[in-house]
Amino acid sequence: MENNQSCIRVFADKVQIDNCKEILQTNEKAFTQLSGLLALAGNEVRLKILFLLEEENELCPCDLSDILGMSIPAVSQHLRKLKDGNVIQGRREGQTIFYSLKQEQLTILRPFFKHIMNNSEKETV
């Protein structure tokens, strides 16, 4: 069986194809940033952490541990990945570090969180 990769359409819209390529190329950095954020948020625990940080503004690992029913080291591993991915930031107060979402990430994530809240409201009605 031959592996034919060509399109079978009769006429290609060269302008459309060129425009789409240009849009992708122009926005390459944004696609890279968003795909990295979505890859990190694709883990259910990390998504819950991000949601909680959006709801509460900032939380410490102990708070997250209690809320999620996980060990502090397990929560800390997720926080480290989010921090390394430039999604969250930490603020030290004494020996406690409080984590919060970076504003630029919050702008991207807020519509997803709105969707979660809208679904929970529909289920309670």
Side-chain angles (χ1 to χ4, degrees):
M1 180 178 260
E2 187 178 320
N3 186 6
N4 188 350
Q5 296 290 328
S6 65
C7 184
I8 60 170
R9 70 178 181 267
V10 177
F11 299 105
D13 186 341
K14 178 111 172 76
V15 173
Q16 178 188 34
I17 291 169
D18 289 342
N19 286 341
C20 290
K21 284 181 178 181
E22 176 66 27
I23 290 168
L24 292 178
Q25 188 174 23
T26 301
N27 295 292
E28 186 64 34
K29 184 178 178 185
F31 280 112
T32 300
Q33 289 174 332
L34 182 58
S35 68
L37 174 60
L38 293 176
L40 287 168
N43 175 282
E44 186 176 341
V45 171
R46 287 193 290 273
L47 183 59
K48 287 177 180 178
I49 289 171
L50 294 172
F51 175 80
L52 291 167
L53 292 176
E54 194 272 336
E55 286 289 304
E56 300 300 320
N57 293 324
E58 65 177 16
L59 292 165
C60 72
C62 298
D63 294 334
L64 290 164
S65 171
D66 290 342
I67 295 166
L68 297 169
M70 297 174 62
S71 70
I72 294 171
V75 168
S76 293
Q77 285 181 356
H78 287 291
L79 290 170
R80 169 57 54 200
K81 286 184 181 187
L82 292 169
K83 191 167 187 221
D84 290 348
N86 204 28
V87 179
I88 63 172
Q89 58 197 3
R91 175 185 67 82
R92 183 177 290 279
E93 189 173 297
Q95 291 187 348
T96 305
I97 299 175
F98 291 92
Y99 290 95
S100 61
L101 281 169
K102 290 197 167 189
Q103 189 59 44
E104 61 269 20
Q105 307 301 358
L106 183 56
T107 304
I108 296 167
L109 291 168
R110 192 167 272 142
F112 293 105
F113 298 148
K114 209 176 243 188
H115 174 75
I116 290 168
M117 293 305 291
N118 286 343
N119 278 342
S120 68
E121 289 171 4
K122 288 177 186 174
E123 290 175 6
T124 59
V125 173

